[in-house]
Amino acid sequence: MTLLRALFLVLAVLLFGAIAVGATGLSAAADESASPIPVLAYYYIWFDEGSWDRAKTDYPLLGRYSSDDREVMRQHVRWAKDAGVDGFIVSWKSTLPLDRRLEQLIDVAREESFKLGIIYQGLDFSRQPLPIERVAADIDHFIDTYAGDPVFDIFGGPLLIWSGTWEYTPEEIGRVSGSRGLRSGCEWRSDLEPRCVLLLATERDMDGVRRLAGLVDGNAYYWSSVNPDTFPGYQAKLDAMAAAVHETDGAWIAPAAPGFDARLIGGTRVVERRDGDTLRRELDAAYASSPDAIGLISWNEFSENSHVEPSEIYGRTALEVLADVEGGRPPVLPELDSSEPDPSRTVNPQDDVAGRVVALGLLIGAFGVGSWVIARRQRIGPIRERATGPPTTGPPPPPMAE
């Protein structure tokens, strides 16, 4: 075997080895980042440009957007996925603007391989319950129009959380849930076209959970205003509610929020973020309650200042915490100077594989060129030697005439 062939053989082995190592690393990274407990962030599609003029102290880094902006939705989904969020729980009831925006978000989620659930807003702007007939009609509309899309397949079927169930009687809840079937009803009616959802209540204590046992498929507790360090029995309350839900094999979505301040809309309580420590503390407590999912409060509820979306005041701190907990990576924000390396950003394994291949390809190219030059010199050398004769020990020959 010639030296040239040996060099190419070694380089080929190195090239395929680099690809294999990179692919193994990519697979391992995917395995490590996969969590059996999905993280679902509450997401609001009610924003018009004028919405930002009311009860806001902080604003998104993407600007004072409208929820009709498809590219804003896409950026939200991509940032959320990077940080470790598996899906959005979309605040919705059937109106022309919200239906239009939900349909757009479904398209974006499908394109980005992202999951969606629904939190149905059963209370009006004054916090009064909507007529039960309206609730039933809206849920029917969701089932008939949207629920069959694969983006809603979170727990083996579409997830619908009914906000404000504490304002309805068990009889009213049963009128809605009983005629539409619960998850168990879908399973034994699998020979028919399923017209059901995984319907969760939003009760706020253990008594409320037990009040609706058998009428719903579980509970999602939207607890954004708690201070985890001062509320008596914080962890015990979450654990007790989880146990009550699981007594009937229900699904428990545990809450976690980065902070809270709703004083501009009548609230009095303030929960400081403490540079991400509050969110980390609440995530720890939520996971300790044996949840079926984490309900992250919220992606973009700016009026209550519970948002994790990158913003003018808080930057990307909340998503940095979430990425650290979930094995994701914090988003790269538009304001970052691209000439400066971002130390908090991890290397994308796919980019790493591509980099290995390109580097070794360049190395092979360099060796190929070098080998060609060597071979050419080897071929030219004997020709020159035959033309000029063997070297002499005398003085060099005179220059050849032009």
Side-chain angles (χ1 to χ4, degrees):
M1 180 183 293
T2 66
L3 177 61
L4 183 59
R5 289 179 180 176
L7 283 173
F8 274 109
L9 179 60
V10 170
L11 287 172
V13 170
L14 288 174
L15 174 61
F16 285 106
I19 295 174
V21 169
T24 302
L26 180 60
S27 175
D31 291 342
E32 289 176 3
S33 63
S35 171
I37 301 174
V39 176
L40 307 173
Y42 291 92
Y43 186 80
Y44 296 92
I45 55 174
W46 57 37
F47 293 103
D48 298 308
E49 291 181 1
S51 303
W52 302 101
D53 297 331
R54 177 185 177 275
K56 305 293 188 297
T57 58
D58 193 13
Y59 302 94
L61 283 181
L62 291 178
R64 303 183 186 190
Y65 54 74
S66 164
S67 293
D68 285 310
D69 192 324
R70 178 183 292 265
E71 292 312 307
V72 166
M73 287 183 172
R74 190 180 306 280
Q75 185 63 78
H76 286 167
V77 167
R78 290 178 176 177
W79 276 347
K81 284 184 66 176
D82 281 349
V85 175
D86 300 287
F88 286 154
I89 301 174
V90 187
S91 175
W92 173 85
K93 58 187 172 186
S94 185
T95 67
L96 289 177
L98 296 184
D99 286 355
R100 179 181 69 245
R101 292 164 179 175
L102 177 61
E103 290 163 11
Q104 178 173 273
L105 182 58
I106 290 171
D107 288 342
V108 171
R110 192 186 306 116
E111 292 166 0
E112 300 293 334
S113 300
F114 195 64
K115 294 298 184 182
L116 299 178
I118 293 292
I119 181 165
Y120 178 73
Q121 294 298 333
L123 306 182
D124 63 19
F125 188 78
S126 301
R127 310 296 294 170
Q128 297 300 308
L130 298 178
I132 198 65
E133 295 78 14
R134 165 74 186 278
V135 175
D138 282 356
I139 292 178
D140 279 341
H141 178 61
F142 170 73
I143 293 172
D144 294 337
T145 309
Y146 307 119
D149 196 290
V151 300
F152 289 106
D153 186 1
I154 295 178
F155 294 108
L159 169 67
L160 191 146
I161 301 167
W162 184 345
S163 179
T165 51
W166 62 86
E167 293 287 355
Y168 295 87
T169 67
E171 292 73 23
E172 289 173 319
I173 300 289
R175 282 174 55 192
V176 174
S177 66
S179 63
R180 283 151 188 84
L182 304 178
R183 178 175 53 176
S184 58
C186 283
E187 291 173 352
W188 69 263
R189 292 178 45 143
S190 59
D191 57 319
L192 304 176
E193 180 69 22
R195 289 195 71 259
C196 55
V197 295
L198 183 69
L199 183 64
L200 271 58
T202 49
E203 296 297 304
R204 299 174 291 185
D205 54 38
M206 192 167 58
D207 290 340
V209 170
R210 288 178 171 158
R211 179 179 75 99
L212 300 182
L215 299 175
V216 293
D217 288 309
N219 199 77
Y221 187 17
Y222 194 102
W223 200 11
S224 58
S225 61
V226 64
N227 187 326
D229 294 321
T230 61
F231 185 87
Y234 168 61
Q235 184 70 61
K237 179 176 182 178
L238 294 180
D239 293 346
M241 292 184 69
V245 171
H246 289 152
E247 281 176 4
T248 57
D249 296 323
W252 162 245
I253 299 184
F260 182 83
D261 184 355
R263 287 175 293 180
L264 291 183
I265 55 174
T268 58
R269 184 175 303 163
V270 176
V271 180
E272 299 293 345
R273 296 192 175 216
R274 298 188 303 153
D275 197 29
D277 287 345
T278 297
L279 177 58
R280 191 178 298 275
R281 171 79 172 85
E282 295 201 15
L283 284 169
D284 288 345
Y287 275 113
S289 70
S290 302
D292 298 285
I294 301 296
L296 181 63
I297 308 171
S298 61
W299 181 263
N300 57 346
E301 221 302 10
F302 279 82
S303 293
E304 294 184 352
N305 288 287
S306 66
H307 52 281
V308 299
E309 177 184 351
S311 66
E312 293 178 1
I313 293 177
Y314 298 112
R316 67 177 191 175
T317 301
L319 293 186
E320 289 175 344
V321 171
L322 186 64
D324 182 55
V325 172
E326 298 297 326
R329 53 194 176 99
V332 177
L333 304 182
E335 284 73 16
L336 289 178
D337 182 359
S338 59
S339 66
E340 295 293 331
D342 181 2
S344 65
R345 188 180 183 186
T346 59
V347 176
N348 187 331
Q350 293 176 338
D351 296 339
D352 188 44
V353 173
R356 292 169 188 259
V357 172
V358 170
L360 282 172
L362 292 174
L363 184 60
I364 288 173
F367 269 96
V369 171
S371 300
W372 177 82
V373 171
I374 292 172
R376 180 173 175 80
R377 287 180 177 176
Q378 289 174 343
R379 290 195 303 270
I380 293 173
I383 295 173
R384 287 179 174 173
E385 185 173 328
R386 288 194 299 270
T388 61
T392 66
T393 58
M400 296 178 62
E402 293 290 336

